[in-house]
Amino acid sequence: MGLYRDLLKRLDELSFGFPKSFVGADLALIKKIFRPEDAKDFLLMDKGYQTTAEFAEKNGFSEEIAREKLERMANRGLIFRRHRERGDEYSMHPFVMGFLEWQGGRPDEAKDWLFPTAMYMISSAFGKRMTQTMPFYRTVPHHAEFVEGSVIKPYDDIDAMLDKHTRFAVGVCMCRLMDSIKPKNPCKHPLETCIETDDYADFYIETGIGREITKEEARAILAQGEKDGRIIQATNSQEGENFCSCCACGCGMLALKKQFPGPAGALWSNHYSVIDQTKCIGCGKCEKRCTFGYIKFNPVNKKPTIDQQACLGCGLCVSTCPTKAITLRQKSEDKLYTPPPTYDDAMEIWERDTKKNYDRFK
């Protein structure tokens, strides 16, 4: 038991952490995912990236034994591996995005950890933590041309973000997979929508978590999501290492935004929708298209209004408007948000803010 308690403490030091569950679901979930030997070896790792040689030297192993331990954990989706000139590098990654999503490569064991994961989410403060700092995801418009009168930032342009990368993979959306176990009205959107790039794409392909796709296939997956009324979101970094097309019925991240209003809401997007009432014909299509109900149809003047404070700036209402009465507007300069350069940088921000606001074991 002490081994797993130590593991819980270590996991709570990463990114948003791993807060306690008031029904003990945190311990139950971790024991489903980490075998005792995994927990022991995970605790031997330092923060940051390390090679086999560095891990071996720190712990007094031979490089052969060190590699066996690190490779076992990487191939089980417990730690991350990337390839560099100095050799393969391994790192501890947090619960989200990290070892939770990487359990998608173990579909035969899903029955063992899906329900405990759902129990953990509803019985801990993990979700609330994610809304009290920079959000995990950012909404990126599918069409840069929808933005009026401004030069769109490269990290707000889905095409520019995809063009930064050379390798792509797609895997199962963990939010939607968890939603699939609901007894009533599970999300019916496709499961395979979580797109990874470059180092993460390599990791997904090599460990069997996902399959290799081309950049054109990645664009097609996102385009299909836009047609289905799903919102394109990217990892909160300028690089955008991960993309998914998310929906109100199955996305845990978007559900948290509504459930726990907090600082994250203002940083979700650099855009909001604007309606030109002189062009609007009052057809109501935009109201139906807004999956979160931020557009309301006024029965008196038969025109829609938008809650621009809550608007995600996704552009779904823009693409459905028959008279082109809706556009996306960039926020004022003082409210524009510049995401951190990489996902590694984002994890440091989440870790800093979470440590400042929460203390798990006192």
Side-chain angles (χ1 to χ4, degrees), residues 217-269:
E217 288 175 305
R219 292 189 202 279
I221 290 170
L222 296 176
Q224 183 59 49
E226 193 266 346
K227 290 179 182 178
D228 292 345
R230 285 177 273 143
I231 297 169
I232 295 176
Q233 298 195 100
T235 307
N236 206 326
S237 70
Q238 295 180 39
E239 285 298 309
E241 293 87 344
N242 159 268
F243 302 88
C244 201
S245 46
C246 306
C247 54
C249 53
C251 178
M253 304 295 180
L254 290 174
L256 291 173
K257 180 182 182 297
K258 291 197 74 174
Q259 185 178 358
F260 300 112
L267 305 179
W268 216 285
S269 174

Side-chain angles (χ1 to χ4, degrees), residues 134-141 153-157 161 231-238 240 242-244 254 267-271 312 337-340:
M134 180 182 73
F136 176 80
Y137 265 146
R138 300 178 62 250
T139 300
V140 183
K153 307 290 185 182
Y155 46 79
D156 284 329
D157 182 337
M161 294 181 78
I231 297 169
I232 295 176
Q233 298 195 100
T235 307
N236 206 326
S237 70
Q238 295 180 39
N242 159 268
F243 302 88
C244 201
L254 290 174
L267 305 179
W268 216 285
S269 174
N270 277 334
H271 305 93
L312 285 164
Y337 163 65
T338 302

Side-chain angles (χ1 to χ4, degrees), residues 107-118:
D108 55 323
E109 299 179 35
K111 63 182 184 300
D112 292 331
W113 51 262
L114 269 180
F115 183 73
T117 300

Side-chain angles (χ1 to χ4, degrees), residues 16 126-133 256-257 260-265 268:
F16 297 105
F126 184 81
K128 187 174 183 180
R129 282 190 182 186
M130 297 187 78
T131 65
Q132 305 308 304
T133 177
L256 291 173
K257 180 182 182 297
F260 300 112
W268 216 285

Side-chain angles (χ1 to χ4, degrees), residues 116-175:
T117 300
M119 285 299 298
Y120 173 70
M121 289 297 200
I122 64 176
S123 64
S124 75
F126 184 81
K128 187 174 183 180
R129 282 190 182 186
M130 297 187 78
T131 65
Q132 305 308 304
T133 177
M134 180 182 73
F136 176 80
Y137 265 146
R138 300 178 62 250
T139 300
V140 183
H142 188 248
H143 298 276
E145 65 269 22
F146 287 168
V147 182
E148 66 170 39
S150 59
V151 177
I152 192 168
K153 307 290 185 182
Y155 46 79
D156 284 329
D157 182 337
I158 191 64
D159 288 316
M161 294 181 78
L162 287 172
D163 284 341
K164 286 185 176 183
H165 306 292
T166 59
R167 305 182 303 283
F168 299 86
V170 63
V172 169
C173 169
M174 190 55 64
C175 290

Side-chain angles (χ1 to χ4, degrees), residues 1 5 8 18-31 116 119-120 123-124 360:
M1 190 66 72
R5 290 294 180 191
L8 289 173
F18 197 73
K20 286 182 179 179
S21 156
F22 61 79
V23 296
D26 51 344
L27 182 59
L29 173 59
I30 290 306
K31 291 176 77 172
M119 285 299 298
Y120 173 70
S123 64
S124 75
R360 177 189 173 98

